[in-house]
Amino acid sequence: MKIKIFSTVILIIATTLFSCKKAAKSEQKVEKKPNIVYILTDQWRGSALGYAGNPDVKTPNLDAFAKESVNFTNTVSVTPVCTPHRAALFTGKFPTTTGMFLNDLHMPAEEVTMAEIFKKEGYNTAYWGKWHLDGHGRSTYIPKERRQGFDFWKALECSHNYTKMPYYDNENTTLKHWKKYSPFAITEDANQYLEKHSKDENPFLALISIATPHYPHGSAPKKYKDMYPPESLTLNPNISDKFKERARKELQGYYAHATATDKAIGNVINKIKELGLLENTIIVFSADHGEMMGAHGVKPFVKQLAWDESVRVPFLIRYPKIKGNKGKVVNAPLTTPDILPSLLGLTNIDIPKDIEGENLAALIQNPDPNADRAALVMNVAPFGANYKDQPYRGIRTKQYTYAVTPKGPSMFYDNDKDPYQQNNLLGKPEFEGIQKDLDDKLQQQLQKIGDEVRPRAYYMEKWGYKFDDSRRAINWWDWKEGTGTVQSPKKL
């Protein structure tokens, strides 16, 4: 009798242990960290989207995605030009901290980056498209040790040949070319990767870097250009008379690239849904900077400036368990270094102590349109077409833009009342209190990162950089002749 009771007890214990083990396994599956698909476009202004209220441009896929996402309406590029934005995105640090404030610099291996952090947490990492962080010329092969933690690789340093875009395929050192319009080719390849890895035990970080709608605008597919007769396009009231005709011409191709790229992005989002990945994937759509397009007397193609046309970019984010937050809006600004810590916060990964951006995961998960903060922007050393412009530091709040140069305050706009930033409020007695408050907020942001507004020469000397005398930029073109020189932030 005792033996029978003992055997029964043993059986109950074994069954319980097996059930617990099974439950633990099941729980482990549920707790798999979310995948991340980050779609980074190039030179896409925050205003150039249907969901943003643009009356001309057609972006049906992103308009639909905006209804499924949280929309950060006042996202700014920390330095509105390619390399500085990308360096800040991948490190979570400001350009004055890393020294990555110019195009065509080499980002040192010592920087701890997005892909390296996620890879350490078990993520597979993949990258497509424009890189612009290697500093060894724009078409040189980038070996694995210089890819900052990305394993799968179909990318190139920089090209804007959208009809025959070159790239390197992982460890193959032979230059290949995408066989169709690059946004379509790149996203089709990315979709193959998603399909292949959709059932992996490990999550993935897939960064899809699409180089459109950056110029040249004339290379947009004819089918899409035909949708935008130049004479039918709406021009913003801040576009100078001398650039109106040119702006219409460029907008035709710009919007055509945008609509074609919207289609390519829609294909990725649809593939994520088709594969059943939507409910365990964070999807981000954003851009590295905008462009002036003739506003404020600045010719098309130019960026680097603190006006909204240049500095404000789109930022949509959809995340697991978004539920009732679909379509919600956040008006509090977000700046580039905030993105990495926010993604780490959403995935419950420890944030390295030297990351300078703010973790906005709580605001993403609890969107509040009335929340406010000061987001820092800067141009430490204007170069190229912007060489004659003054360096600046600025902040964007929910309502205001405020900036200073080494010569003093330069910009103060009420963006609610003056969305095209045509009425500079600097020095007006009735706004003196607000200006002082904004200046205090700017100084607080600068103190946090140990920065101050100094002339360009100070930072060029501090980091050991030298411009080419003819183009007033880091020389990347001599690499084609085999005589290029790497410029990288020197160790301080």
Side-chain angles (χ1 to χ4, degrees):
M1 186 69 178
K2 283 183 180 178
I3 292 171
K4 191 174 180 183
I5 292 169
F6 179 74
S7 300
T8 303
V9 170
I10 292 294
L11 183 62
I12 291 167
I13 291 169
T15 304
T16 304
L17 286 172
F18 178 76
S19 298
C20 289
K21 196 178 276 187
K22 194 173 180 183
K25 274 187 179 178
S26 174
E27 194 177 327
Q28 203 171 15
K29 281 184 181 178
V30 171
E31 289 179 356
K32 175 184 174 181
K33 288 193 181 297
N35 306 305
I36 299 173
V37 176
Y38 196 107
I39 301 167
L40 177 64
T41 59
D42 196 345
Q43 206 149 306
W44 199 326
R45 301 194 290 177
S47 61
L49 294 131
Y51 71 80
N54 188 295
D56 295 331
V57 69
K58 298 169 179 64
T59 52
N61 293 285
L62 287 166
D63 295 352
F65 184 58
K67 293 176 182 175
E68 295 286 313
S69 312
V70 175
N71 176 10
F72 278 74
T73 62
N74 288 315
T75 299
V76 289
S77 176
V78 65
T79 296
V81 70
C82 296
T83 298
H85 175 91
R86 290 156 195 265
L89 171 65
F90 290 136
T91 64
K93 298 177 186 176
F94 285 87
T96 46
T97 299
T98 61
M100 296 293 291
F101 50 79
L102 300 168
N103 267 359
D104 299 292
L105 296 172
H106 170 64
M107 188 159 79
E110 289 81 6
E111 291 293 349
V112 177
T113 65
M114 178 189 287
E116 290 167 338
I117 295 168
F118 280 100
K119 189 175 171 181
K120 191 176 178 183
E121 294 293 322
Y123 278 70
N124 295 317
T125 58
Y127 195 95
W128 291 262
K130 178 179 173 180
W131 178 243
H132 219 169
L133 286 169
D134 190 56
H136 289 69
R138 293 191 173 184
S139 58
T140 305
Y141 175 75
I142 301 171
K144 196 164 188 175
E145 63 270 18
R146 296 209 306 262
R147 297 175 193 164
Q148 303 289 350
F150 286 101
D151 288 332
F152 182 92
W153 182 263
K154 288 195 176 180
L156 186 86
E157 177 73 346
C158 181
S159 171
H160 292 286
N161 182 350
Y162 306 126
T163 56
K164 195 180 177 183
M165 180 169 280
Y167 72 99
Y168 289 98
D169 182 350
N170 290 289
E171 309 319 306
N172 188 339
T173 58
T174 302
L175 194 65
K176 294 185 174 183
H177 294 83
W178 295 111
K179 292 181 179 178
K180 59 173 72 172
Y181 181 65
S182 60
F184 295 147
I186 287 169
T187 51
E188 284 175 13
D189 197 89
N191 279 351
Q192 290 177 21
Y193 178 93
L194 298 180
E195 193 157 359
K196 182 177 179 181
H197 293 275
S198 61
K199 295 180 181 176
D200 286 0
E201 284 188 20
N202 291 343
F204 54 77
L205 165 66
L207 204 142
I208 306 169
S209 176
I210 304 173
T212 47
H214 190 289
Y215 64 83
H217 300 142
S219 61
K222 183 178 184 301
K223 168 185 172 182
Y224 294 96
K225 283 197 290 187
D226 288 347
M227 297 167 67
Y228 298 104
E231 65 278 4
S232 71
L233 300 178
T234 307
L235 295 183
N236 291 340
N238 62 2
I239 294 183
S240 308
D241 288 341
K242 66 177 178 178
F243 289 127
K244 282 184 177 178
E245 187 178 344
R246 185 175 173 189
R248 286 186 191 280
K249 181 184 175 184
E250 297 301 337
L251 280 171
Q252 179 187 37
Y254 186 73
Y255 289 160
H257 277 316
T259 300
T261 307
D262 172 85
K263 169 66 176 167
I265 292 169
N267 291 341
V268 174
I269 295 169
N270 289 336
K271 176 59 73 171
I272 291 169
K273 291 176 180 176
E274 177 192 312
L275 294 170
L277 296 172
L278 189 65
E279 295 312 319
N280 197 37
T281 300
I282 296 169
I283 308 171
V284 177
F285 160 67
S286 192
D288 54 2
H289 53 80
E291 77 144 275
M292 294 306 298
M293 196 61 78
H296 304 289
V298 182
K299 65 183 179 181
F301 307 160
V302 173
K303 43 266 187 185
Q304 298 191 43
L305 301 164
W307 280 300
D308 268 5
E309 287 82 6
S310 167
V311 81
R312 194 166 72 84
V313 294
F315 191 88
L316 299 176
I317 182 164
R318 192 192 192 284
Y319 54 91
K321 299 178 184 176
I322 189 171
K323 295 182 179 177
N325 289 330
K326 291 178 182 178
K328 293 282 182 72
V329 165
V330 175
N331 296 311
L334 173 155
T335 188
T336 314
D338 299 326
I339 296 170
L340 175 55
S342 299
L343 291 175
L344 295 174
L346 288 172
T347 50
N348 294 313
I349 294 173
D350 290 340
I351 299 170
K353 290 179 181 177
D354 60 348
I355 279 183
E356 295 172 323
E358 187 179 342
N359 173 12
L360 300 180
L363 189 55
I364 293 169
Q365 292 172 316
N366 301 281
D368 178 2
N370 298 311
D372 200 4
R373 61 194 295 267
L376 184 62
V377 295
M378 60 179 64
N379 192 346
V380 177
F383 63 90
N386 296 85
Y387 183 77
K388 293 181 180 178
D389 293 318
Q390 284 288 309
Y392 65 83
R393 305 293 186 277
I395 54 168
R396 187 72 156 71
T397 69
K398 184 164 68 79
Q399 184 171 357
Y400 298 105
T401 292
Y402 177 75
V404 302
T405 74
K407 295 180 178 180
S410 60
M411 188 181 282
F412 173 20
Y413 295 108
D414 182 335
N415 300 311
D416 287 351
K417 294 176 181 175
D418 178 24
Y420 297 105
Q421 299 178 319
Q422 295 174 286
N423 181 22
N424 197 336
L425 303 176
L426 281 177
K428 295 191 176 182
E430 62 270 38
F431 297 102
E432 186 179 345
I434 298 173
Q435 183 177 332
K436 185 181 183 309
D437 180 60
L438 290 169
D439 195 77
D440 289 345
K441 283 183 167 68
L442 172 58
Q443 295 308 320
Q444 288 166 16
Q445 293 298 316
L446 294 177
Q447 285 169 17
K448 282 183 188 177
I449 60 171
D451 185 30
E452 57 185 300
V453 189
R454 291 177 183 259
R456 170 176 46 216
Y458 170 83
Y459 292 94
M460 295 292 286
E461 184 178 350
K462 175 181 178 180
W463 293 95
Y465 300 144
K466 187 177 180 183
F467 283 150
D468 172 82
D469 290 334
S470 62
R471 301 198 200 181
R472 306 290 189 181
I474 298 296
N475 185 330
W476 54 267
W477 47 94
D478 278 354
W479 287 90
K480 293 178 182 178
E481 309 302 324
T483 57
T485 301
V486 176
Q487 295 200 50
S488 186
K490 68 181 182 182
K491 290 183 180 179
L492 302 179

